Amino acid sequence: MAKRRLSGPRTIWVVRVGDDLYIRSVNGPGSDWYRGTRANGRGSVHAGGVTKDVSFEDADGAVNYQVDAAYRHKYGRYGAYIIGAITGPQASCTTMRLVPRVEDAGN
């Protein structure tokens, strides 16, 4: 079965908290990209020459403080405007955990 892409590639800012990877929609829950993740629940991530299929899982709100800190640490050099956007309430309500996906051999 051929994989169906929801849209073209998007740049996402990923952070790690413990052993988990998290992403957010800087444009909030109304963005096309975020709505696509909600509708499909899955996608592909390409980084460092490696592509992995993933599922998007809603993050427990309790992790938001740690995710904010990870964004500030990793991307702080981009300035207050960017960090304010990715750690603000519009983005933090879209926090998702990336979960590696393993397809059944029969699919």
Side-chain angles (χ1 to χ4, degrees):
M1 180 185 315
K3 292 183 183 180
R4 184 178 149 248
R5 289 181 61 166
L6 293 177
S7 65
R10 304 289 173 123
T11 299
I12 57 174
W13 294 21
V14 179
V15 294
R16 182 178 177 161
V17 174
D19 290 333
D20 295 319
L21 297 176
Y22 293 91
I23 60 174
R24 289 179 172 165
S25 171
V26 72
N27 296 315
S31 75
D32 290 341
W33 171 81
Y34 180 76
R35 287 193 325 260
T37 66
R38 307 317 318 143
N40 196 26
R42 45 178 56 195
S44 295
V45 175
H46 181 80
V50 176
T51 300
K52 294 289 183 182
D53 290 332
V54 296
S55 294
F56 302 107
E57 215 176 70
D58 289 332
D60 181 339
V63 77
N64 273 338
Y65 177 79
Q66 293 171 298
V67 173
D68 286 348
Y71 273 114
R72 286 185 187 101
H73 177 76
K74 184 174 180 182
Y75 298 110
R77 69 184 178 274
Y78 291 102
Y81 176 77
I82 296 295
I83 293 303
I86 199 68
T87 60
Q90 178 173 300
S92 66
C93 72
T94 68
T95 306
M96 295 177 284
R97 187 168 69 100
L98 296 179
V99 180
R101 195 166 30 113
V102 179
E103 294 296 329
D104 295 333
N107 286 345

